């Protein structure tokens, strides 16, 4: 694992433990100016982008931090294969399938988004089906619900 995804996972853990200020520190300015190499600085500081500011109108600090972690993970780990698993983890933890559905539909044409969102609101469609020949060859293996 690289520093960025690791730090974002740690920030998420801190946030879930109620230590949102520590999570904020990891994302924005961890160890800045402490003499450590640049790789040990906060996720946003390493990327040389500005800090995010908490907005009371957008919910609690913990809620905003959770959203920031999810957004930063999308940027930090683009094309590395972590995104889907992070979306599933956040959706399960919050019991909110809209987290996955709303993130996924952004890449589809507007006309297709409603159907895709409706399908992803069903948790049975979050995982790939078993290969049909394996299901046919093994009577003990039932196809995943939804397929």
């Amino acid at each position: 694992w690289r520093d960025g995804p690791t730090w974002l996972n740690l920030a998420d853990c801190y946030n879930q433990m109620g230590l949102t200020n520590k999570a904020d520190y990891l994302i924005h300015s961890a160890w800045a100016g402490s003499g450590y190499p640049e790789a040990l600085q906060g996720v946003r500081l390493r990327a040389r982008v500005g800090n995010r500011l908490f907005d009371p109108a957008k919910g609690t600090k913990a809620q905003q931090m959770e959203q920031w972690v999810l957004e930063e993970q999308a940027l930090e780990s683009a094309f590395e294969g972590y995104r889907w698993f992070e979306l599933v983890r956040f959706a399960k933890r919050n019991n909110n399938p809209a987290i996955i559905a709303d993130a996924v539909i952004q890449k589809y044409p507007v006309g297709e988004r409603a159907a895709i969102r409706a399908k992803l609101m069903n948790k049975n469609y979050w995982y790939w089906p078993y290969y049909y020949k394996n299901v046919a060859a093994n009577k003990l293996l039932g196809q995943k619900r939804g397929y």
Side-chain angles (χ1 to χ4, degrees):
W1 285 76
R2 294 183 303 98
D3 289 345
T6 302
W7 284 29
L8 289 166
N9 284 336
L10 181 57
D12 186 38
C13 291
Y14 279 146
N15 192 46
Q16 293 302 309
M17 292 173 18
L19 303 170
T20 303
N21 288 337
K22 282 191 174 194
D24 184 43
Y25 187 70
L26 281 173
I27 288 178
H28 291 110
S29 59
W31 297 294
S34 62
Y36 285 101
E38 186 175 293
L40 294 177
Q41 294 179 355
V43 174
R44 292 187 65 83
L45 183 64
R46 286 184 314 123
R48 302 209 184 348
V49 293
N51 288 350
R52 295 174 179 243
L53 301 174
F54 288 108
D55 181 0
K58 293 183 178 179
T60 66
K61 281 187 171 186
Q63 290 169 335
Q64 289 180 61
M65 180 57 66
E66 184 169 290
Q67 186 62 36
W68 290 357
V69 167
L70 196 56
E71 290 170 6
E72 289 295 327
Q73 285 174 332
L75 296 171
E76 180 74 31
S77 303
F79 308 110
E80 293 182 18
Y82 308 129
R83 179 77 170 148
W84 179 257
F85 303 104
E86 293 300 319
L87 289 171
V88 169
R89 186 168 62 88
F90 276 71
K92 281 183 170 181
R93 179 172 60 212
N94 293 304
N95 196 24
N96 183 4
I99 292 173
I100 290 180
D102 293 340
V104 170
I105 64 171
Q106 298 305 314
K107 65 181 184 176
Y108 290 97
V110 175
E112 298 176 18
R113 289 182 181 181
I116 293 168
R117 187 178 194 284
K119 191 169 190 175
L120 288 173
M121 292 299 285
N122 181 348
K123 294 177 184 180
N124 293 322
Y125 290 104
W126 291 358
Y127 304 100
W128 288 99
Y130 293 124
Y131 183 54
Y132 75 95
K133 287 186 178 181
N134 291 348
V135 175
N138 185 349
K139 293 178 183 175
L140 299 175
L141 180 64
Q143 185 56 274
K144 292 181 181 178
R145 290 180 300 172
Y147 294 96

